[in-house]
Amino acid sequence: MTHDTALYDRALAFRSLHVPGRPLVLPNVWDRASARLVEEAGATAVATTSAGLAWELGASDGDHLERDRALTAVAAVASAVRVPVSADIETGYAADAAGVAGTVRAVLAVGAVGINIEDALHTPGRGPLRPVAEQAERIAAARAAADEAGVPLFVNARVDTFLRGAGGVDATLERAAAFLAAGADGIFVPGAVDPGTVKLLADGVDGPLNVLAGPGAPSVAELAALGVARVSVGAAVAQAAHALVRRAARELLGAGTYDTLAGGLDYGELDALLGGTP
């Protein structure tokens, strides 16, 4: 077993940020620049969005990006900031549990100390969710790989029951319990933002609950009051950024005006922030 003291300490720091009622807030990033901007805004940790990262690299979301390319991008994010980094690894960038273990070793090697791993299936003819036992085996492999490396990696198990229309609260809690027993540290349930549902999940999950928020969802303060321990926004920041690019381009190429460009960051400030080392 190896022991990287700096990585170990960052992993412990990241783990400590998951407090029910005082949630870790993550404006998800997809590249070095977005990571630096989010850290500069005051984030205590940085997490990647698999969709935003895939789009940046010219791939679609949903297990279409090769592991090596994804991990190279995660490495760029991790090297850009001082705060702990969590990597969204989709379903693990691997066909089996042994492959997931390999992905986790690669995640640790590039300096990330957390992962999101989802139970959705993107294979035609299968799904919409991976069988509980199979997903639990993959989570256990991730846990074992991190333990062998001597790093308390935070394994955030994503349960896609609500997102994929594959079950309600009871099914979610059943899967969550199995994944926690397999070695997950927290449970991520995208698609569940109704306050009553979130409260049932926060009370029923025996670990930190992560909620995916965005326009129309309860505020961070409201989610905190429901017992949520982590609030993330997935691809939403990337989507907003890309929407700005399209609006600016359409205005410039259409009306020939520049109003969309108003309010941009100062050139010198941005150059200084993004041009150097963290």
Side-chain angles (χ1 to χ4, degrees):
M1 181 179 74
T2 60
H3 188 80
D4 182 324
T5 302
L7 199 65
Y8 181 89
D9 290 345
R10 283 201 301 277
L12 283 184
F14 184 63
R15 182 177 292 271
S16 73
L17 296 173
H18 295 77
V19 181
R22 199 174 72 233
L24 168 63
V25 180
L26 296 169
N28 300 79
V29 308
W30 61 95
D31 62 4
R32 180 182 176 87
S34 58
R36 290 293 293 274
L37 288 166
V38 166
E39 181 185 41
E40 189 267 345
T44 54
V46 164
T48 63
T49 157
S50 65
L53 191 150
W55 298 334
E56 180 74 10
L57 298 176
S60 55
D61 192 25
D63 285 344
H64 295 290
L65 185 63
E66 301 90 345
R67 178 169 67 185
D68 288 349
R69 295 184 70 205
L71 269 296
T72 297
V74 172
V77 168
S79 67
V81 297
R82 295 185 177 90
V83 296
V85 172
S86 181
D88 185 338
I89 62 170
E90 302 193 45
T91 65
Y93 298 124
D96 56 22
V100 172
T103 297
V104 166
R105 287 190 286 269
V107 164
L108 295 173
V110 301
V113 294
I115 60 167
N116 273 15
I117 183 166
E118 65 190 64
D119 63 353
L121 275 170
H122 305 288
T123 306
R126 293 194 66 195
L129 303 182
R130 196 178 296 275
V132 173
E134 184 181 339
Q135 182 67 2
E137 181 184 11
R138 294 165 75 88
I139 290 170
R143 175 85 280 142
D147 290 347
E148 288 167 8
V151 179
L153 177 80
F154 191 96
V155 178
N156 201 33
R158 188 173 120 178
V159 181
D160 278 353
T161 41
F162 283 88
L163 194 64
R164 302 295 292 270
V169 171
D170 289 346
T172 302
L173 294 178
E174 179 182 346
R175 295 179 81 87
F179 299 163
L180 290 167
D185 299 289
I187 298 296
F188 179 26
V189 187
V193 292
D194 171 75
T197 300
V198 172
K199 177 63 173 171
L200 289 172
L201 293 172
D203 290 345
V205 171
D206 189 20
L209 176 68
N210 181 184
V211 169
L212 182 69
S219 68
V220 170
E222 290 168 328
L223 291 171
L226 296 172
V228 171
R230 176 166 165 172
V231 178
S232 51
V233 294
V237 178
Q239 289 171 263
H242 297 319
L244 175 61
V245 173
R246 184 164 71 176
R247 286 197 303 273
R250 286 179 172 177
E251 181 190 3
L252 181 60
L253 296 170
T257 54
Y258 323 102
D259 293 343
T260 306
L261 302 178
L265 291 173
D266 176 77
Y267 173 88
E269 178 188 2
L270 198 57
D271 192 55
L273 178 65
L274 304 183
T277 56

